[in-house]
Amino acid sequence: MPSRLPIQDIFAGLVTSIGTAIRYWFHYTLVAFAWLGVVPLTACRIYKCLFTGSVSSLLTLPLDILSTENLLADCLQGCFVVTCTLCAFISLVWLREQIVHGGAPQWLEQNQQQPLNGVGQQNEAQAVVNGGVENAVLDQPANPAAENVVVGENPEIQEEQVDEEEEDNEDEEDAVVEDAADANNGAQDDMNWNALEWDRAAEELTWERMLGLDGSLVFLEHVFWVVSLNTLFILVFAFCPYHIGHFSIVGLGFEEYVQASHFEGLITTIVGYVLLAVTLIVCHGLAALVKFQRSRRLLGVCYIVVKVSLLVVVEIGVFPLICGWWLDICSLEMFDATLKDRELSFQSAPGTTMFLHWLVGMVYVFYFASFILLLREVLRPGVLWFLRNLNDPDFNPVQEMIHLPIYRHLRRFILSVIVFGSIVLLMLWLPIRIIKYLLPNFLPYNVMLYSDAPVSELSLELLLLQVVLPALLEQGHTRQWLKGLVRAWTVTAGYLLDLHSYLLGDQEENENNANQQPNNQHARNNNAIPVVGEGLHAAHQAILQQGGPVGFQPYRRPLKFPLRIFLLIVFMCITLLIASLICLTLPVLMFSVFAGRWLMSFWTGTAKIHELYTAACGLYVCWLTIRAVTVLVAWMPQGRRVIFQKVKEWSLMIMKTLIVAILLAGVVPLLLGLLFELVIVAPLRVPLDQTPLFYPWQDWALGVLHAKIIAAITLMGPQWWLKTVIEQVYANGIRNIDLHFIIRKLAAPVISVLLLSLCVPYIIASGVVPLLGVTAEMQNLVQRRIYPFLLMVVVLMGILSFQVRQFKRLYEHIKNDKYLVGQRLVNYERKSGKPGTSTTPPQSSQE
């Protein structure tokens, strides 16, 4: 091998590499054109063609697909259509898995032979008991004896229904034995598959092979199937329901009302799905009458698909939207708004308005569910038996959508709307009315959408998002405080109404639970006086847990129990009203708004500021005060010396934290934002004949965002000194903060680099260039363009260094391809005078 490669070898290797790169570039361009161009564009054009409603559009569909008009908009819309079809396909497959593993509903299997596997029998028995128990729950009598009988009635209900199913099956077999056998075989074929074949197909088909990233052209077939699948799903799941709903709405004369809603397509499609579900269930009943088992099962499965889809839309879309609008309506007086204002905003931007109300409703539902989970931690297991436990591993909402009838879902939806709406009235509308009556000048809040203050709203929003909300939403202390308040209220209400055993359970049993757990069932069976409450709630818990009454504790039932429960509900409503009025509205909001306005006046003067910022500032001060008081109360039992020691330690830690915050959250973001302003913003926004103005608060706000982004990218990137230092600072935390390490390893290098980046160009432009005797225009040009010019120089140097490294790798690759014969592993040995140890590695590395 020569000491240096010949020029012709380097040139040949370079040409080969360029040819390979060009080939891959053509292939990946074809892949991107197929998946990002052909598939979305075809889906969009077919979608528009189907919904045009004319025969001429069908005839001109090939020419419309090849049209070059509105390519970008059609591609983006086609991507949305393809995403919807893929989500629909994945949802269908997942729903099929739910039906296979969870079992079909009882009404779908009642005329067929029962499956032989135990899983199906268990699921059907569970569905039977669920139906019996929930109906018994809703029709629960006030008689205690009837409540205790419920557990004994459930097996009888199950046995009666199973006997009726067996009698129906015997009659069915006597009538049409062959049809039933064919139907069962068809059902088995539909519900089972060969797992080996699917595994083999999954091993052969990978993401690279399916998308065409492996270099083959097999993906063209996949593109064809995806286009066909999109067309099929658009035709079946969009075209047919829309036209069914459209014809029905036109026939009923509701077309004007639907058009006034600004969501004509969505409402028409939902109406079409509802009518399609009714048609499917009617056809299913007719097929059951004429003993068409295959058709009956197919229609039933289609009805389940439509039913689950509509329930998902109602649960995730309609219910949060109702909650959001109800919250807005009940809080109109807080912001000095009217329904006419909301109507005008809806008319101007219907999509944005509906999305914002849906988002507010989703947040409300989420926090309500979180509060219910907190109540389950405080109350006795079994008190909230009528609410679904989201933490229950056996809770599966999709299985409930599949098995429970539609009228029970409707009843549950109406009950949820009543409960959520009543809570909003109780905790929002009524306190606002009381405040306006008692303090007329306190409301409304200033919620202007513009700012006439000299401070930038971006800085305030950044302060709100980065400082205030993380502290207020801290899960540890806030959750513990709320849990303590709930426990105190529960204990008080329990002793006032003699419902302590019902709400919290017996303390003696809780204390001896660990010792008496193996003997609980024996003690319950031998108890002469039946413990009231084990019947209905224990059965409910047994069904959920697939066993005994796990997680249920018995309680002592006092006299006049229904009256005490009614008084408990009244007391709860009064408490919620007083809590919303006093704890949230008067002290917190008043202090936060007044204190926030007072604090913000030092910053902004007499200018008006959005009340969200003043309330956030005041709430943060309240949070800091309460947190300090709770810490001092926790230190009180330890003595004065310990308190002084703790105060000394915390004062030192706070001083260190303030120094670090000034450096890393003040100086570094300010320098970074100013550098970004000089390099990017000022050259693009300010002409050369104008003087740029710099706002430190805006530069600091942008610098904080840029610093967070750079820190996140650094932590996700490869290992280097900055990543190591940031990880070490995170690992130490605030309690073990090392001021010397942070200043020496993090703050000083970063600030030095930023100061050099700011000062060196300024010194060159203002100190060196005037000495060269150039004109004033040239000096101005240099001063305004030196920062982006130096950025371009740094980027070019980085690109050149990267290309040099790539050329060295290419050089080694060419040399190895031409001259390398083989490689041999040689043990590393230190030089110890053995002959051949120093000459063996060079001889074996390359031959």
Side-chain angles (χ1 to χ4, degrees):
M1 185 184 71
S3 59
R4 294 182 179 179
L5 288 179
I7 299 298
Q8 59 271 19
D9 292 344
I10 298 177
F11 183 75
L14 189 61
V15 170
T16 304
S17 300
I18 293 175
T20 304
I22 291 175
R23 182 171 61 87
Y24 277 107
W25 181 80
F26 274 113
H27 180 78
Y28 289 139
T29 303
L30 180 62
V31 170
F33 176 74
W35 289 111
L36 300 179
V38 175
V39 173
L41 193 62
T42 307
C44 179
R45 300 291 169 82
I46 292 175
Y47 181 84
K48 290 182 177 179
C49 172
L50 290 176
F51 283 90
T52 301
S54 62
V55 181
S56 61
S57 61
L58 294 175
L59 299 178
T60 60
L61 178 60
L63 298 177
D64 293 336
I65 293 177
L66 299 177
S67 177
T68 58
E69 296 180 359
N70 301 325
L71 283 179
L72 182 60
D74 289 348
C75 284
L76 293 177
Q77 186 178 358
C79 289
F80 178 74
V81 174
V82 172
T83 303
C84 293
T85 55
L86 289 179
C87 292
F89 178 74
I90 294 172
S91 301
L92 284 177
V93 174
W94 182 66
L95 184 59
R96 179 184 180 275
E97 294 293 325
Q98 292 290 326
I99 296 175
V100 169
H101 295 290
Q106 179 188 357
W107 55 267
L108 188 61
E109 300 287 351
Q110 63 183 357
N111 291 330
Q112 297 182 6
Q113 294 180 356
Q114 299 294 329
L116 298 177
N117 53 358
V119 179
Q121 294 177 354
Q122 182 180 0
N123 289 326
E124 291 180 2
Q126 179 183 354
V128 173
V129 179
N130 278 336
V133 170
E134 185 165 349
N135 291 331
V137 167
L138 295 173
D139 299 330
Q140 177 184 359
N143 189 1
E147 292 180 356
N148 294 329
V149 177
V150 175
V151 178
E153 288 180 354
N154 287 330
E156 296 177 2
I157 295 173
Q158 181 179 357
E159 292 176 0
E160 290 177 0
Q161 294 186 1
V162 171
D163 293 338
E164 292 176 1
E165 292 177 8
E166 291 178 355
E167 292 176 0
D168 294 339
N169 289 332
E170 291 176 359
D171 297 338
E172 190 74 24
E173 290 173 0
D174 294 337
V176 280
V177 177
E178 295 180 358
D179 292 341
D182 294 337
N184 289 327
N185 293 331
Q188 293 295 329
D189 294 337
D190 293 336
M191 306 301 284
N192 298 322
W193 65 87
N194 192 346
L196 296 177
E197 295 180 359
W198 281 79
D199 293 340
R200 189 181 301 112
E203 291 177 359
E204 294 176 357
L205 184 62
T206 59
W207 282 105
E208 290 80 6
R209 186 173 181 81
M210 185 179 70
L211 298 177
L213 300 178
D214 59 345
S216 64
L217 298 177
V218 184
F219 76 95
L220 295 176
E221 179 183 356
H222 302 153
V223 169
F224 170 76
W225 284 111
V226 168
V227 172
S228 303
L229 184 66
N230 285 331
T231 306
L232 179 63
F233 270 74
I234 291 171
L235 185 64
V236 174
F237 292 98
F239 180 79
C240 294
Y242 174 80
H243 283 81
I244 292 174
H246 178 70
F247 294 146
S248 302
I249 290 174
V250 172
L252 295 175
F254 294 151
E255 189 174 5
E256 296 181 358
Y257 300 101
V258 174
Q259 290 179 355
S261 65
H262 297 279
F263 294 95
E264 180 183 359
L266 180 61
I267 295 177
T268 304
T269 306
I270 292 176
V271 171
Y273 270 107
V274 172
L275 295 176
L276 186 61
V278 175
T279 305
L280 288 173
I281 199 64
V282 171
C283 294
H284 174 269
L286 295 177
L289 291 177
V290 297
K291 311 300 182 183
F292 288 167
Q293 298 300 327
R294 289 180 179 272
S295 301
R296 173 185 169 277
R297 182 176 183 82
L298 179 61
L299 292 171
V301 171
C302 293
Y303 169 73
I304 291 175
V305 171
V306 177
K307 169 189 170 184
V308 172
S309 302
L310 290 175
L311 289 176
V312 168
V313 171
V314 170
E315 293 286 343
I316 300 180
V318 178
F319 183 70
L321 192 62
I322 294 174
C323 293
W325 275 106
W326 187 239
L327 281 167
D328 190 11
I329 292 172
C330 292
S331 61
L332 287 176
E333 295 183 354
M334 183 185 294
F335 306 111
D336 195 17
T338 60
L339 288 176
K340 187 66 176 179
D341 299 332
R342 296 295 181 261
E343 183 181 356
L344 293 176
S345 64
F346 176 76
Q347 295 290 339
S348 60
T352 304
T353 304
M354 297 296 282
F355 174 75
L356 291 177
H357 285 84
W358 174 84
L359 186 62
V360 171
M362 283 294 293
V363 172
Y364 170 58
V365 172
F366 170 76
Y367 280 106
F368 186 86
S370 301
F371 183 73
I372 295 299
L373 293 178
L374 188 140
L375 286 180
R376 291 187 182 276
E377 298 178 4
V378 176
L379 299 178
R380 177 186 60 85
V383 174
L384 302 177
W385 55 271
F386 52 91
L387 294 177
R388 290 175 290 182
N389 189 4
L390 301 180
N391 286 336
D392 187 4
D394 294 329
F395 172 67
N396 192 342
V398 179
Q399 290 293 331
E400 289 189 355
M401 293 179 184
I402 294 174
H403 289 87
L404 297 183
I406 195 68
Y407 73 90
R408 292 174 63 178
H409 288 287
L410 182 61
R411 184 173 56 191
R412 181 181 296 172
F413 175 77
I414 295 174
L415 180 62
S416 300
V417 170
I418 293 174
V419 171
F420 280 72
S422 302
I423 292 176
V424 172
L425 281 175
L426 196 62
M427 300 190 67
L428 187 61
W429 181 80
L430 193 56
I432 291 173
R433 299 293 298 176
I434 295 175
I435 290 176
K436 286 185 71 66
Y437 179 76
L438 297 177
L439 299 172
N441 297 326
F442 180 70
L443 294 177
Y445 294 142
N446 180 28
V447 290
M448 59 183 179
L449 299 179
Y450 62 92
S451 176
D452 55 356
V455 67
S456 172
E457 294 229 0
L458 181 61
S459 304
L460 296 175
E461 292 172 0
L462 185 71
L463 179 68
L464 175 65
L465 295 176
Q466 303 295 331
V467 179
V468 177
L469 287 183
L472 296 179
L473 299 179
E474 184 184 358
Q475 292 297 322
H477 304 292
T478 307
R479 184 178 178 84
Q480 292 298 325
W481 294 345
L482 184 59
K483 188 175 179 180
L485 291 176
V486 171
R487 183 178 295 277
W489 181 90
T490 306
V491 172
T492 304
Y495 280 111
L496 288 177
L497 300 175
D498 195 16
L499 293 175
H500 185 272
S501 177
Y502 175 75
L503 294 176
L504 297 175
D506 296 328
Q507 295 181 356
E508 295 80 9
E509 183 178 357
N510 292 333
E511 295 174 354
N512 301 325
N513 191 22
N515 298 327
Q516 297 181 358
Q517 185 175 1
N519 300 323
N520 278 343
Q521 188 65 33
H522 179 71
R524 292 173 185 174
N525 293 333
N526 294 333
N527 192 2
I529 301 175
V531 181
V532 179
E534 282 190 352
L536 182 59
H537 313 317
H540 181 77
Q541 294 292 331
I543 294 166
L544 289 179
Q545 301 293 339
Q546 294 293 316
V550 181
F552 171 79
Q553 292 181 5
Y555 62 93
R556 180 182 58 83
R557 182 167 185 169
L559 298 176
K560 298 181 181 179
F561 183 70
L563 178 61
R564 296 178 186 272
I565 294 296
F566 175 75
L567 293 178
L568 177 67
I569 296 174
V570 173
F571 184 52
M572 179 185 66
C573 294
I574 296 175
T575 305
L576 289 176
L577 175 61
I578 296 176
S580 178
L581 187 62
I582 296 179
C583 298
L584 296 178
T585 307
L586 288 179
V588 176
L589 286 182
M590 283 182 61
F591 179 76
S592 64
V593 171
F594 290 151
R597 289 171 182 170
W598 179 70
L599 290 174
M600 294 297 292
S601 64
F602 291 100
W603 191 352
T604 61
T606 59
K608 292 184 178 181
I609 296 295
H610 199 297
E611 296 291 357
L612 179 63
Y613 305 131
T614 59
C617 184
L619 282 174
Y620 191 58
V621 173
C622 296
W623 180 85
L624 288 177
T625 306
I626 295 173
R627 185 79 181 100
V629 170
T630 54
V631 170
L632 290 177
V633 170
W635 289 347
M636 288 292 290
Q638 300 180 7
R640 184 180 301 176
R641 181 178 300 176
V642 177
I643 292 177
F644 286 150
Q645 183 67 24
K646 292 285 188 180
V647 169
K648 181 180 178 181
E649 294 177 359
W650 277 73
S651 300
L652 182 61
M653 185 185 67
I654 290 173
M655 291 297 296
K656 292 181 179 180
T657 306
L658 288 177
I659 295 173
V660 172
I662 291 172
L663 292 175
L664 299 182
V667 178
V668 172
L670 180 61
L671 296 177
L672 191 61
L674 185 60
L675 182 62
F676 182 80
E677 182 85 14
L678 291 171
V679 173
I680 303 296
V681 178
L684 294 178
R685 295 179 58 182
V686 183
L688 291 175
D689 57 348
Q690 297 181 4
T691 303
L693 299 178
F694 299 100
Y695 298 96
W697 285 114
Q698 293 185 7
D699 295 337
W700 172 79
L702 292 175
V704 170
L705 296 178
H706 296 154
K708 292 193 68 173
I709 295 172
I710 292 173
I713 294 175
T714 303
L715 293 176
M716 293 187 297
Q719 195 72 28
W720 59 307
W721 70 269
L722 184 58
K723 180 180 179 181
T724 304
V725 172
I726 294 176
E727 289 177 347
Q728 183 64 37
V729 172
Y730 277 143
N732 292 336
I734 297 180
R735 295 181 181 272
N736 300 321
I737 188 171
D738 190 351
L739 183 61
H740 182 264
F741 175 80
I742 293 175
I743 293 177
R744 184 169 55 89
K745 295 291 186 179
L746 182 60
V750 172
I751 293 175
S752 300
V753 171
L754 291 175
L755 285 177
L756 287 175
S757 302
L758 289 170
C759 296
V760 171
Y762 180 79
I763 293 174
I764 294 174
S766 301
V768 178
V769 173
L771 298 178
L772 300 178
V774 297
T775 61
E777 291 79 6
M778 181 59 65
Q779 292 182 16
N780 185 32
L781 178 64
V782 172
Q783 289 177 359
R784 298 289 298 278
R785 295 294 184 258
I786 188 170
Y787 288 98
F789 174 74
L790 290 180
L791 176 64
M792 293 177 59
V793 170
V794 172
V795 171
L796 288 177
M797 291 177 61
I799 293 174
L800 287 177
S801 63
F802 175 75
Q803 294 299 329
V804 168
R805 291 195 301 268
Q806 291 297 109
F807 184 78
K808 289 180 179 180
R809 293 177 58 186
L810 178 63
Y811 183 86
E812 293 294 330
H813 179 70
I814 295 172
K815 183 174 65 175
N816 292 335
D817 287 344
K818 188 172 182 62
Y819 297 103
L820 184 63
V821 177
Q823 293 180 349
R824 184 170 67 245
L825 181 64
V826 179
N827 293 332
Y828 171 76
E829 297 180 359
R830 294 183 181 273
K831 294 182 180 181
S832 58
K834 294 182 181 181
T837 55
S838 61
T839 59
T840 300
Q843 292 177 358
S844 61
S845 62
Q846 292 182 353
E847 296 181 358

